[in-house]
Amino acid sequence: MSLIDDLTLGELKEIVAFLGKKEDIPHPFKIGAIYLIRTVTMIDVGRLVEVTPTELVLEDAAWIADDGRFSDVLKSGDFNEVEPYPDGEVIIGRGAILDACIITMLQR
């Protein structure tokens, strides 16, 4: 038997309070903003709706198959090839993120 099996409900509540709610976890992201997110394998664009300790959740998202010249696309928002995800949420593991920046328009 492990120590966790011996915890009382009150002790568990204290641990949860100590860790904080997921909304209380500090992060630099702006909920509602449109992000271009480069990961180790791809680029995604979408509106950020949630940040968890391990994921970002996007809506109205698309995979960018070809972004063209990166600095130009950040200014213009004109990607060479866009593959929209189906409607709904897309979850991106934060451990795979290289960088993320706010852009002005969704790519659907």
Side-chain angles (χ1 to χ4, degrees):
M1 194 178 284
S2 69
L3 287 175
I4 198 159
D5 294 327
D6 296 331
L7 291 174
T8 67
L9 182 56
E11 291 169 330
L12 286 173
K13 287 180 180 179
E14 286 180 34
I15 292 170
V16 169
F18 174 75
L19 294 176
K21 298 175 187 167
K22 68 180 174 184
E23 300 89 38
D24 297 335
I25 298 166
H27 59 77
F29 300 102
K30 292 178 176 55
I31 301 297
I34 300 166
Y35 277 92
L36 180 146
I37 300 169
R38 292 195 301 176
T39 69
V40 295
T41 59
M42 60 182 16
I43 296 174
D44 294 297
V45 172
R47 183 177 317 283
L48 184 66
V49 295
E50 184 178 1
V51 178
T52 75
T54 56
E55 292 95 17
L56 299 181
V57 182
L58 302 177
E59 286 184 341
D60 301 320
W63 167 56
I64 305 301
D66 181 3
D67 64 350
R69 302 239 349 140
F70 189 67
S71 62
D72 292 341
V73 82
L74 290 177
K75 294 175 198 165
S76 70
D78 189 21
F79 295 91
N80 288 346
E81 186 177 350
V82 176
E83 298 287 337
Y85 284 98
D87 290 342
E89 296 180 340
V90 174
I91 301 168
I92 299 172
R94 288 176 66 177
I97 295 173
L98 299 174
D99 56 38
C101 62
I102 293 176
I103 60 173
T104 59
M105 56 196 317
L106 288 169
Q107 302 296 316
R108 297 283 293 173

